[in-house]
Amino acid sequence: MSAAAPWRLFLAIWPTPGIADALNAWARTAQVECGGRVTLAANIHLTLAFLGDISPERVPRLADCVRRAGGSGHVLALQEARYWKHNRVVWAGPREIPAALAALAGALERELVAAGFATEVREFNAHVTLLRMARLPRSLPSLPSLPWQVNELVLVRSQLSSTGSSYAVLARFPLA
């Protein structure tokens, strides 16, 4: 009997539909200036740890890592929009990463590495991708005030296709 095919997994925080819809509307406005492909409202998220291809048999161990990492609920304010030229992405993020979000990302990284999971080796940059394949904008519209109440972390399976990624939430982990 062969092992199951690996799943492409990541850990993220996911906004409420109202926040996602508002970010999607903002992205459609920004698209007028810089083109690109708008992230679907249902796919808007902030990745905390990208794990890549993981055997489904390792998901329980992964869930244990998330539980051990803990974390506390907090508000995330997306205050600025920027353009990353190197990957032609328009994103939104906080001016300063909230301490609770930075602590959660750090705890997840430590627990995942200790359990033998490979994670991306780079500094955590709290951002929400809103446009892909965008041109350098002359300016971006101001972001609306969107206090995002972060109450849970989700484990997500990503499946790639010619039309983009589709996501399935596999597990939810409440934050204290």
Side-chain angles (χ1 to χ4, degrees):
M1 184 167 152
S2 64
W7 291 349
R8 189 169 192 254
L9 302 177
F10 64 94
L11 293 161
I13 57 173
W14 221 268
T16 62
I19 298 284
D21 289 343
L23 289 170
N24 178 265
W26 179 91
R28 283 185 272 117
T29 301
Q31 184 185 35
V32 172
E33 170 66 24
C34 56
R37 188 177 75 231
V38 174
T39 301
L40 297 172
N43 287 351
I44 291 175
H45 66 278
L46 190 151
T47 301
L48 291 170
F50 179 76
L51 299 156
D53 292 337
I54 302 291
S55 167
E57 292 84 17
R58 294 187 73 200
V59 169
R61 185 167 185 174
L62 176 58
D64 289 341
C65 291
V66 175
R67 285 187 204 82
R68 280 193 305 274
S72 59
H74 58 278
V75 174
L76 173 64
L78 302 177
Q79 300 151 316
E80 61 182 2
R82 295 243 175 121
Y83 177 77
W84 277 333
K85 186 177 182 177
H86 69 281
N87 57 6
R88 299 176 52 208
V89 163
V90 173
W91 58 274
R95 284 190 191 96
E96 289 186 35
I97 299 173
L101 184 60
L104 176 59
L108 283 170
E109 176 73 15
R110 287 187 297 280
E111 290 294 337
L112 292 167
V113 168
F117 289 96
T119 60
E120 292 180 302
V121 180
R122 62 178 166 179
E123 185 178 345
F124 175 62
N125 188 339
H127 71 281
V128 178
T129 300
L130 298 173
L131 285 161
R132 295 183 186 281
M133 298 183 295
R135 297 181 307 271
L136 177 64
R138 285 187 301 269
S139 65
L140 290 168
S142 295
L143 284 167
S145 175
L146 300 170
W148 175 351
Q149 184 61 50
V150 178
N151 295 318
E152 69 178 2
L153 176 66
V154 293
L155 172 62
V156 182
R157 181 178 180 192
S158 171
Q159 294 181 290
L160 302 175
S161 73
S162 60
T163 59
S165 297
S166 64
Y167 301 129
V169 173
L170 301 179
R172 296 178 181 277
F173 302 92
L175 300 173

